[in-house]
Amino acid sequence: MAVKIIAPGLSTTVQDLGRPGYYHLGIPISGGMDRFALRAANMLVGNDESAAVLEAVFMGPEIEFTTAATVAVTGGELPPKVNGDERPTWEAFPVKAGDKLSFGFLKSGARAYIAVSGGIDVPVKLGSRSTYTLGALGGHEGRALKAGDSLPLGQGGAGKGAVPANLRRGPGNPAELRMLPGLYWHRITAEAGKQFFADTWKVAPEADRIGYRFKGGKALDFVPRTPPFGAGSDPSNIVDACYPYGSVQVPSGTEPIVLHRDAVSGGGYMMLGTIISADMDLIGQLQPHSPARFVEVTLDQALAARHDRQAAIARVRDHLQR
Amino acid sequence: MSIRFSFGGDEHIFAEVSEEMSLEAFFTSLSMTNAVKQAGIKGVTEICPANASFQVKYDPDQIKPGDLLRELQSMEGAASKSDATLKTRIMEIPVYYQDPWTHETLMRFRERHQDPKATDLEYAAAVNGLGSVEDFVQAHSSQPWFVSMVGFVAGLPFLYQMVERKRQLQVPKYLRPRTDTPKLTIGHGGCFSCIYSVRGAGGYQMFGVTPMPIYDPNQQVSYLRDEMCLFRPGDIVKWKPISRDQYDADIEAVNANKFLPTIRETSFSLTDFNKDINGTNAKLMEVLHGR
């Protein structure tokens, strides 16, 4: 019981809900960037929501099944095909042994989640099957998939159903990324702070599982200071500190970088604040050059948004169990 | 020293012990994170000490952010009063300074450097007022370093030089970060040295390489079978300059999985260190060399 990789796509990795507990060693949580889509894909094929799936970015892989299974593709709009015939996204469909799954061109979003009944059964490393490519840890041999790889499948259950469009979640246009200011926000001037939220930014080509860079807004003005010992001379430098997931660092005050699931755990650039947990999924679906705005929220608003997202997942769960 | 707390979104509390680096700030950060660990607070999922700050990640569905903040603040008094003594390890890291691999890499990224006509070591020697690269290597390797943070990428140690502040080597980071750094490069930025555990991007000046693995995700290396990352905050490191021949011999031993690093158990008292830096370091060297 396995899937064979005929062509890997651009960068396809095995991901689950991640590897908490090792950030203090510089090993990030990893796991699907769009966890809403990852959970939905697993629900559709009858898996535990935390089972390992394939995360494909921008371009789908080509896969052959050695066994009959149920498959679902969620997340970005990457149309699946079985032996060349198109299948719907956000809907469970069966495959037979010998069937080939391929994909058309990406229509929207950035990442697709391909769940197979039984889950991708690569070895568990530090409690997770997620791939952390920078540290060559987890997934299949610690790396993105290559042609010729064979991935074992777990024992599958039965899956069925579809997630209707009104229950899905994706970024708007421009994407609105809610941020709680804090951390080193006091390093920039009040004027620069206003401008940061007023500007419309664009996703830069340097956007990956570690972090998303944004361009096109005005450079930030810093409050003058004498550099603290050990920080470095640039006004954006701090004594190397921990970086929260979702934190927004701005090296030299020019291009904000939002750290994501494969975050570097710390470093020496000031952070303006943190994207709230509810909006991390949305970042994973942004393509380079797409517009985005940062929206200021309070901690209470962040917690309310967190509950809204949990409710959205619960609605999918309820819908599929009916 | 009063700790500045800030919410990092809805899942993190970030705490800055001090804006500037010092061993006092590091020890406060370490005793705070140890206290948080011992308290076993429900909902806390990650506890990360850093150089002069720390971070706690939590699940706000299990503990209210405000409640966790108050709990952390209540620990501050005890942490700053706690005795700055550590049971720790001292280890020797062989370094092949001026190696061909970091040299090849630094030449590729010369346009991102402050001084495109010099090597990173030549630049580092000049900005620290040292006459030659040899003098700089001597200053870098003669006294031990303290691991004040592990992170950035898997198992990477940040190291703080155990000398008086006026003797500490300081070198700016590259003007723009490189997209490539050889694995196991000894780097330096600001007042910190580091060992790049994996190949990848980096902005620190590059001085040399160590043959000694410090991170093994496959847990095959004899001394990395239990823990895939060698370093822990509080470890003490002594660099040992080695020749190309020694480097090649060490690599051969590493490949045969016969390389054994010199690591000794020891203790460290910040009070004793501040009273007599040279004397404390001399004692550490005795422990390292088994005398």
Side-chain angles (χ1 to χ4, degrees):
Chain A
M1 290 205 308
V3 292
K4 285 183 182 164
I5 306 299
I6 301 166
L10 200 59
S11 176
T12 302
T13 52
V14 178
Q15 301 293 347
D16 57 18
L17 288 179
R19 181 179 286 117
Y22 302 92
Y23 206 37
H24 65 290
L25 297 174
I27 299 175
I29 193 162
S30 301
M33 286 187 70
D34 180 354
R35 279 159 154 67
F36 177 90
L38 184 147
R39 284 176 184 271
N42 274 323
M43 288 182 219
L44 283 165
V45 300
N47 287 349
D48 188 284
E49 285 174 37
S50 63
V53 307
L54 300 182
E55 179 185 87
V57 58
F58 304 141
M59 200 180 138
E62 196 179 342
I63 298 168
E64 185 180 335
F65 294 87
T66 67
T67 179
T70 307
V71 175
V73 179
T74 63
E77 207 44 37
L78 189 68
K81 295 173 184 174
V82 176
N83 303 325
D85 296 332
E86 199 157 318
R87 294 286 184 278
T89 56
W90 297 89
E91 186 169 337
F93 56 85
V95 293
K96 303 185 301 295
D99 278 354
K100 286 188 177 129
L101 177 68
S102 62
F103 292 86
F105 290 112
L106 182 71
K107 290 179 186 159
S108 67
R111 286 176 175 77
Y113 293 83
I114 308 160
V116 183
S117 52
I120 308 293
D121 194 19
V122 294
V124 173
K125 288 282 183 118
L126 301 181
S128 167
R129 295 185 170 87
S130 289
T131 316
Y132 167 45
T133 49
L134 192 56
L137 176 66
H140 181 71
E141 298 179 0
R143 57 167 170 80
L145 300 176
K146 286 182 191 167
D149 288 344
S150 178
L151 307 176
L153 293 175
Q155 196 67 44
K160 65 175 169 42
V163 178
N166 64 335
L167 295 187
R168 300 174 200 168
R169 199 166 170 261
N173 188 356
E176 296 201 335
L177 305 175
R178 287 168 287 185
M179 182 182 117
L180 180 67
L183 307 173
Y184 289 88
W185 177 262
H186 57 276
R187 287 288 306 115
I188 61 169
T189 62
E191 195 52 43
K194 270 186 215 142
Q195 190 66 41
F196 175 79
F197 286 122
D199 281 334
T200 298
W201 300 80
K202 272 197 164 134
V203 176
E206 302 92 339
D208 58 22
R209 292 187 44 84
I210 300 171
Y212 260 59
R213 187 184 282 258
F214 294 83
K215 284 177 185 259
K218 193 169 176 296
L220 304 175
D221 286 326
F222 289 93
V223 175
R225 67 159 186 198
T226 307
F229 178 79
S233 48
D234 191 275
S236 67
N237 284 153
I238 57 170
V239 169
D240 293 61
C242 299
Y243 288 151
Y245 295 106
S247 61
V248 185
Q249 58 177 273
V250 196
S252 304
T254 55
E255 295 176 352
I257 299 168
V258 180
L259 291 178
H260 219 277
R261 312 290 186 197
D262 283 2
V264 290
S265 69
Y269 293 111
M270 57 82 70
M271 309 82 89
L272 286 179
T274 310
I275 302 300
I276 65 173
S277 65
D279 288 354
M280 290 293 280
D281 291 340
L282 306 182
I283 297 175
Q285 295 300 354
L286 295 179
Q287 292 180 5
H289 310 300
S290 53
R293 287 187 57 241
F294 298 100
V295 177
E296 180 175 5
V297 292
T298 64
L299 182 56
D300 283 343
Q301 288 170 319
L303 293 169
R306 179 185 181 85
H307 294 135
D308 290 348
R309 176 181 172 276
Q310 287 166 346
I313 294 169
R315 279 197 295 277
V316 173
R317 202 178 286 136
D318 292 348
H319 175 82
L320 290 174
Q321 278 166 2
R322 245 187 277 149
Chain B
M1 232 179 284
S2 171
I3 301 177
R4 181 177 70 83
F5 291 95
S6 179
F7 288 109
D10 47 322
E11 295 187 337
H12 311 81
I13 292 179
F14 178 90
E16 184 188 67
V17 175
S18 162
E19 263 193 312
E20 63 168 37
M21 180 57 193
S22 67
L23 283 179
E24 284 73 13
F26 167 76
F27 271 85
T28 303
S29 146
L30 194 63
S31 51
M32 279 296 289
T33 50
N34 284 338
V36 178
K37 226 177 282 170
Q38 279 158 17
I41 303 164
K42 193 178 168 222
V44 167
T45 58
E46 309 260 8
I47 303 165
C48 304
N51 296 304
S53 56
F54 65 92
Q55 179 174 297
V56 175
K57 185 167 190 275
Y58 63 96
D59 177 357
D61 303 330
Q62 294 192 52
I63 183 165
K64 284 186 187 158
D67 291 350
L68 178 58
L69 178 62
R70 272 185 292 280
E71 199 146 349
L72 295 178
Q73 283 169 331
S74 75
M75 295 175 180
E76 187 175 345
S80 57
K81 274 191 224 83
S82 74
D83 184 24
T85 306
L86 267 184
K87 279 207 173 313
T88 183
R89 309 178 290 179
I90 177 158
M91 54 182 100
E92 187 170 71
I93 309 285
V95 184
Y96 176 22
Y97 289 94
Q98 302 193 71
D99 66 289
W101 306 285
T102 59
H103 188 264
E104 184 276 326
T105 308
L106 69 89
M107 292 310 287
R108 262 193 287 142
F109 292 99
R110 228 55 216 134
E111 85 289 354
R112 301 183 185 211
H113 195 271
Q114 290 86 349
D115 188 353
K117 291 203 176 74
T119 65
D120 291 9
L121 270 170
E122 285 164 356
Y123 173 71
V127 298
N128 282 282
L130 293 162
S132 67
V133 164
E134 287 67 31
D135 290 348
F136 184 86
V137 169
Q138 166 68 17
H140 190 256
S141 60
S142 60
Q143 297 298 319
W145 295 66
F146 203 88
V147 176
S148 51
M149 177 170 171
V150 177
F152 179 60
V153 294
L156 177 151
F158 287 81
L159 300 124
Y160 185 72
Q161 199 175 15
M162 294 168 67
V163 294
E164 301 90 327
R165 184 172 282 189
K166 63 177 190 304
R167 282 177 62 199
Q168 278 188 320
L169 300 169
Q170 290 198 73
V171 196
K173 295 163 194 167
Y174 270 47
L175 295 177
R176 285 184 295 129
R178 297 175 305 273
T179 53
D180 193 16
T181 310
K183 186 175 154 183
L184 296 175
T185 289
I186 310 304
H188 194 97
C191 67
F192 297 104
S193 273
C194 82
I195 308 173
Y196 283 91
S197 51
V198 297
R199 184 178 175 179
Y204 277 23
Q205 307 283 336
M206 297 183 292
F207 296 161
V209 290
T210 176
M212 179 177 154
I214 62 166
Y215 167 69
D216 179 17
N218 299 316
Q219 292 173 281
Q220 300 294 313
V221 172
S222 63
Y223 55 91
L224 296 173
R225 277 188 189 133
D226 297 333
E227 308 262 355
M228 53 179 79
C229 300
L230 175 66
F231 289 103
R232 302 195 279 263
D235 281 337
I236 296 169
V237 163
K238 172 71 170 61
W239 309 117
K240 181 191 176 193
I242 58 168
S243 65
R244 174 66 193 254
D245 285 350
Q246 186 61 51
Y247 178 85
D248 289 343
D250 286 349
I251 285 289
E252 207 169 300
V254 166
N255 290 340
N257 209 359
K258 285 178 179 158
F259 183 88
L260 275 182
T262 306
I263 302 176
R264 311 258 187 240
E265 305 289 322
T266 187
S267 61
F268 176 85
S269 152
L270 184 57
T271 315
D272 292 352
F273 176 78
N274 284 335
K275 264 187 228 151
D276 180 8
I277 292 179
N278 291 335
T280 306
N281 288 351
K283 274 185 205 145
L284 285 168
M285 290 309 104
E286 283 171 21
V287 172
L288 179 65
H289 297 120
R291 286 196 290 265

